[in-house]
Amino acid sequence: METWYGFNVLWLFSAGGKEPFVDPRFIRIDEHELDFMAKMGCNFIRVPTDYRFFVHDFKYDQYDEAMLKILDKAVEAVVSRGLHCSLNVHRGPGYCINGNEFERDNLWTDKIAQDAFTNLWTMFAKRYASYTPDQLSFDLLNEPPSPGQYGLTRENHKEIMKRVSTAIRKVSPDRPVICDGLSGGHVAAPELSDLNVIMSGRGYTPMKLTHWHAEWNQKIGSFEWPYPEYPGMKADGQIWNRQALRDFYKPWKEMADSGCKVHIGEAGCYNKVKNETALAWYKDFFGVCNELGFGYALWNFRGAFGIAEHRRENTHWETMDGFIVDKDLYELFIAGMKGQLK
């Protein structure tokens, strides 16, 4: 597997809240963004999806063909540009890290949800069987919870991922399968190593920097956290700098050294911190990934976690192919892709 660098695209990321909004007329596949990413030299695009685009009112055995055709267009738009497409279920039957309370069933404890999850991926495997392993991978479930939360254990998590990956490989034996780390993607799961999967970590550490003043984290105090000066901020019992990032990824490096491929499937720094703070963190994050041999994908291309139009003040903006781009972050990203930040 080549080292993957790129972005997440949010075209099918969320169908909404409790009452999903699924009008296909308002889903836009931005091919101009893909052209820009390909021109940058990227080779990886992650496409997070919400199963409720394709399954309505918990009728798990009925798929919305019109919505699936939109997903077809998204996958083909990525692959046709020579970019690897990683199809991800961000919200699956019975679990999502955001708004889990909207689910009727529980993926970790309920057979009906586990069957629905397996059948969803089996359908995707059959639908996209013509794509080669170099073109398409399957990222089974975004950011499972911590052990003990919602009934997840390391044991039942592995059994569910094993069941789904086995079902996929009955259709496409060589399909690359990706499993996200536990605790929101941050904690390595070496018990999955024998499933022959790629492990996907997260580039959001320390959270008190990357999610400072994030509105969706108000319940855990994101607006009460002190300003995260970086390097040198204190959080989670340590002082954060490049060495602390190396230490954080040590369990992931151990998995990689044992033969399990590792990729950082989401990363980025929210736009509320000063731009110089964000750039200092990005330089160390990209550099540590270079040292460890990990590729990465920012959460988005254009937006609060991206390189374009993130709106942080004191940014060196430059218009490139119609996008307002943070030129300093753009150049750091390119240097990281080239392995120049070790």
Side-chain angles (χ1 to χ4, degrees), residues 132-312:
T132 69
D134 289 339
Q135 292 174 321
L136 180 67
S137 60
F138 291 160
D139 183 346
L140 301 186
L141 183 69
N142 182 72
E143 299 178 359
S146 301
Q149 188 177 20
Y150 305 125
L152 176 140
T153 66
R154 286 184 180 267
E155 291 75 20
N156 66 15
H157 172 254
K158 179 175 181 176
E159 284 305 309
I160 294 166
M161 297 304 118
K162 180 179 181 179
R163 177 184 175 187
V164 175
S165 60
T166 299
I168 289 168
R169 287 168 176 151
K170 285 181 179 178
V171 179
S172 294
D174 298 323
R175 180 69 57 211
V177 173
I178 300 171
C179 288
D180 289 11
L182 299 175
S183 301
H186 292 90
V187 173
E191 64 272 14
L192 302 187
S193 294
D194 61 355
L195 299 185
N196 188 27
V197 296
I198 300 163
M199 286 301 302
S200 180
R202 291 296 175 267
Y204 294 132
T205 301
M207 291 284 286
K208 289 183 178 179
L209 185 159
T210 65
H211 286 62
W212 187 73
H213 280 207
E215 293 82 1
W216 60 94
N217 277 346
Q218 289 187 56
K219 290 183 179 179
I220 62 172
S222 62
F223 279 77
E224 284 72 53
W225 297 338
Y227 184 78
E229 299 287 353
Y230 184 89
M233 65 175 289
K234 294 180 180 180
D236 304 319
Q238 60 185 309
I239 297 174
W240 286 93
N241 50 31
R242 188 163 175 150
Q243 182 57 50
L245 290 176
R246 288 190 192 99
D247 294 341
F248 174 79
Y249 287 109
K250 184 178 179 181
W252 296 89
K253 181 63 166 61
E254 290 172 353
M255 287 194 69
D257 288 344
S258 72
C260 180
K261 297 179 176 68
V262 172
H263 181 257
I264 307 303
E266 286 185 25
C269 183
Y270 196 45
N271 65 1
K272 296 299 188 291
V273 300
K274 300 172 186 176
N275 202 47
E276 54 266 32
T277 302
L279 289 172
W281 176 83
Y282 273 115
K283 185 176 182 179
D284 279 355
F285 168 69
F286 293 156
V288 168
C289 286
N290 279 181
E291 292 175 19
L292 301 178
F294 298 167
Y296 46 79
L298 298 190
W299 170 242
N300 54 5
F301 164 73
R302 178 165 50 175
F305 285 93
I307 66 170
E309 302 170 22
H310 56 60
R311 300 186 180 182
R312 281 191 290 271

Side-chain angles (χ1 to χ4, degrees), residues 35-155:
D35 290 334
F36 189 99
M37 297 172 203
K39 187 176 178 181
M40 283 178 67
C42 296
N43 59 2
F44 175 90
I45 302 296
R46 184 171 182 255
V47 182
T49 63
D50 183 332
Y51 83 98
R52 298 174 303 168
F53 280 116
F54 320 115
V55 173
H56 309 311
D57 301 320
F58 305 109
K59 297 175 182 176
Y60 296 133
D61 59 346
Q62 300 177 28
Y63 298 118
D64 186 328
E65 183 63 23
M67 295 302 301
L68 284 169
K69 287 180 178 177
I70 293 174
L71 181 62
D72 295 344
K73 292 178 181 178
V75 171
E76 182 60 25
V78 174
V79 170
S80 65
R81 287 162 171 81
L83 299 161
H84 180 87
C85 179
S86 182
L87 178 59
N88 164 247
V89 169
H90 190 277
R91 176 181 288 274
Y95 176 73
C96 185
I97 194 168
N98 301 316
N100 188 68
E101 66 275 12
F102 300 144
E103 292 304 308
R104 186 191 69 184
D105 305 306
N106 184 323
L107 178 61
W108 314 112
T109 60
D110 296 342
K111 183 177 184 297
I112 188 173
Q114 294 166 10
D115 290 347
F117 184 53
T118 305
N119 292 339
L120 179 69
W121 274 116
T122 302
M123 180 271 292
F124 285 149
K126 293 176 179 177
R127 193 174 187 95
Y128 300 120
S130 63
Y131 288 104
T132 69
D134 289 339
Q135 292 174 321
L136 180 67
S137 60
F138 291 160
D139 183 346
L140 301 186
L141 183 69
N142 182 72
E143 299 178 359
S146 301
Q149 188 177 20
Y150 305 125
L152 176 140
T153 66
R154 286 184 180 267
E155 291 75 20

